[in-house]
Amino acid sequence: MSSLVGLASDHAGFGLKQYVKSFLLENSFECEDFGTDDESSCDYPDFAHKLAFAIEKGHCNWGIAICGSGNGINITLNKHQSIRSALCWLPEIALLARQHNDANVLVLPARFISEEDSVPIIRSFMEGCFEGERHQTRIDKIKLNT
């Protein structure tokens, strides 16, 4: 995967996002942080939409988003037609999200995984490659034709 990674979180995911950002920078990835900037209560859609727009415009190649359960930010991201966001709490799920779903945003549930648990999940997501073929047919059916 390309080196420009967009990051987004709400207040519940802020601490894990800071850890993930450090991990990525230590591994030669460039990061663009779309917020939040602290643990003050905030609304995850504000930051999810910024990340999604950056990916849609080609500014970021892929992203990592984090909130307490992962559900809210994941739902918001997937409202965007070109985003395929996957909520992952195990490395195997992250790998399948890339291989079968061509996911371009990894979502982590901050209240359910440790900082240390996040590393193999991120590595699996980054190392996974879309397998295409029968999966492409399914991906093509995701977008709404209005």
Side-chain angles (χ1 to χ4, degrees):
M1 298 184 95
S2 178
S3 65
L4 185 56
V5 182
L7 300 171
S9 76
D10 68 356
H11 55 283
F14 175 74
L16 182 56
K17 181 183 66 154
Q18 296 305 102
Y19 179 85
V20 166
K21 186 191 302 186
S22 294
F23 167 76
L24 292 170
L25 293 172
E26 289 168 10
N27 286 276
S28 302
F29 285 86
E30 294 178 62
C31 298
E32 173 126 6
D33 190 339
F34 294 98
T36 189
D37 298 324
D38 59 39
E39 293 179 341
S40 302
S41 183
C42 61
D43 300 326
Y44 54 78
D46 297 338
F47 310 105
H49 290 305
K50 289 178 185 180
L51 172 60
F53 289 135
I55 293 170
E56 289 175 326
K57 292 176 183 173
H59 178 71
C60 293
N61 302 98
W62 60 287
I64 299 176
I66 307 166
C67 73
S69 70
N71 283 310
I73 207 162
N74 190 48
I75 290 167
T76 304
L77 287 159
N78 279 314
K79 295 294 181 186
H80 292 258
Q81 287 291 303
S82 11
I83 301 299
R84 289 171 309 284
S85 177
L87 173 56
C88 302
W89 57 94
L90 295 171
E92 297 83 3
I93 295 171
L95 181 60
L96 288 172
R98 291 284 303 129
Q99 290 176 335
H100 293 190
N101 309 115
D102 197 18
N104 54 7
V105 180
L106 169 64
V107 174
L108 299 172
R111 292 185 176 138
F112 297 92
I113 63 169
S114 68
E115 291 176 346
E116 294 76 20
D117 289 338
S118 72
V119 171
I121 297 168
I122 294 166
R123 285 191 192 279
S124 289
F125 190 84
M126 292 187 314
E127 293 167 4
C129 294
F130 183 51
E131 293 176 347
E133 298 179 10
R134 73 182 195 276
H135 303 295
Q136 185 62 55
T137 303
R138 296 168 186 152
I139 298 302
D140 293 341
K141 292 179 178 181
I142 293 174
K143 282 190 179 184
L144 294 173
N145 296 317
T146 56

